[in-house]
Amino acid sequence: MAVNGTELHYVEGGEGNPIILLPGWPQTWWAYHKVMPILATKFKVIAIDIRGMGSSHKPMEGYDKKNMALDVYMLVDKLGYNSVAIAGHDIGAHVAYSFAAQFKEVTSNLIMLDTPHPDPSMYSLPMLPIPGLDYTYPWWVAFNQVKNLPEQLLEGKMDIVTEWIFSQMLQDKDCVSEFDKKVYASAYNTADAIRASNAWYQAFGQDINDSKSYTKLTMPVCAVGGTGYDMLQGALQGQAEDLQLFRLDGCGHFILEEQPDIVAGIIMEFLQRQLT
């Protein structure tokens, strides 16, 4: 669907109150394929390839999360909804948060999955891995800032990156199948796809500045985290008036794949509680 100077691809199903699902890097709407059938038993689910992702268009600009949230808002409006719940994982969580912060009047609920919105603390990320600390050093946050070079190095080779990311950031290595990996690698394998997805990262400075203008969230907020739980807790406790936090034990970053039934159950209970 054409919105805000680009075109967004989305997949929908189910009936009921709408929930928008936004994925992150290095994935597509397919990241929600395990939870969508569960959520669709009670809700209208709409999983979107955000600007620059998958089957959506990849324009040369507009990748700050404030503008990407506007993309989603205009899509919601065109679909005829005046109130939606919105959930996001990874980069999608950045967009979901910005959506809720800008469009409070149409956001019934916000669900943040393992990732907070960029804030000034990002400038303190270490440039080198910290010896003795058991964590996955996020080298790609810096690498994806580089313009032109990544697409020259990685075009046609994104399977190497996705394989490494999933091997490092999952505790259950089998929950992302070889088919899933091929779906994601093929979505990012072109120079345009690499350029566009890296633009999400290159906009972090603007996203951080924009975050300073957002007022406290007034709608109910649910945050579900695996390895990202502590970051979510630290970021959202001062940003949301009505916050519910859930920690998933034995789970890495890709919580939609590792614990889909639990994540879907938390989301459904959270949304249904607000309806009663």
Side-chain angles (χ1 to χ4, degrees):
M1 183 175 289
V3 292
N4 196 26
T6 191
E7 289 203 16
L8 297 184
H9 168 258
Y10 63 93
V11 176
E12 61 182 341
E15 295 182 357
N17 292 319
I19 175 170
I20 305 296
L21 306 174
L22 305 180
W25 183 90
Q27 297 182 284
T28 66
W29 74 268
W30 185 250
Y32 288 93
H33 76 277
K34 292 183 180 179
V35 301
M36 285 181 71
I38 304 171
L39 296 176
T41 62
K42 298 291 184 181
F43 301 97
K44 177 74 171 185
V45 293
I46 304 163
I48 302 173
D49 282 337
I50 55 178
R51 175 183 292 242
M53 173 184 284
S55 297
S56 289
H57 282 194
K58 299 166 179 61
M60 296 303 296
E61 56 188 20
Y63 293 92
D64 60 278
K65 307 315 167 294
K66 195 170 187 177
N67 187 62
M68 293 174 70
L70 179 60
D71 293 345
V72 177
Y73 172 79
M74 293 180 69
L75 176 62
V76 166
D77 184 62
K78 280 197 170 185
L79 291 175
Y81 298 116
N82 55 25
S83 179
V84 297
I86 188 165
H89 176 258
D90 193 79
I91 298 291
H94 302 173
V95 180
Y97 185 93
S98 184
F99 181 98
Q102 292 182 82
F103 309 112
K104 292 184 173 71
E105 70 281 1
V106 300
T107 308
S108 63
N109 307 81
L110 170 65
I111 300 106
M112 300 286 285
L113 302 173
D114 208 61
T115 314
H117 187 278
D119 63 30
S121 69
M122 292 191 77
Y123 290 124
S124 300
L125 286 173
M127 291 297 294
L128 294 173
I130 302 172
L133 190 61
D134 183 19
Y135 77 116
T136 300
Y137 172 63
W139 55 267
W140 59 91
V141 176
F143 180 75
N144 290 356
Q145 299 291 328
V146 181
K147 295 185 178 181
N148 301 319
L149 181 62
E151 47 266 51
Q152 294 180 57
L153 294 173
L154 295 175
E155 184 175 14
K157 300 177 182 178
M158 277 298 292
D159 59 304
I160 299 172
V161 176
T162 54
E163 179 66 38
W164 189 93
I165 290 291
F166 289 123
S167 71
Q168 296 297 311
M169 302 186 72
L170 290 169
Q171 291 199 26
D172 176 3
K173 312 297 184 186
D174 296 325
C175 70
V176 175
S177 70
E178 291 304 312
F179 176 83
D180 298 335
K181 294 174 186 177
K182 289 178 181 178
V183 168
Y184 299 136
S186 65
Y188 287 83
N189 249 341
T190 67
D192 267 355
I194 297 167
R195 169 193 57 78
S197 57
N198 285 3
W200 305 330
Y201 291 83
Q202 292 160 14
F204 279 176
Q206 183 62 52
D207 299 335
I208 292 167
N209 286 337
D210 289 337
S211 74
K212 299 173 185 177
S213 68
Y214 295 152
T215 57
K216 186 171 288 191
L217 300 176
T218 54
M219 75 290 297
V221 178
C222 174
V224 188
T227 50
Y229 176 84
D230 290 337
M231 289 191 299
L232 273 176
Q233 182 183 43
L236 289 173
Q237 280 186 328
Q239 296 172 348
E241 293 181 359
D242 181 357
L243 174 63
Q244 298 179 42
L245 288 159
F246 297 89
R247 182 194 293 272
L248 302 181
D249 294 323
C251 189
H253 173 60
F254 295 101
I255 61 177
L256 294 164
E257 286 81 3
E258 290 203 74
Q259 297 190 12
D261 292 343
I262 294 175
V263 173
I266 290 171
I267 292 173
M268 291 180 72
E269 183 177 350
F270 170 66
L271 295 180
Q272 289 178 310
R273 186 183 304 133
Q274 310 305 320
L275 297 174
T276 57

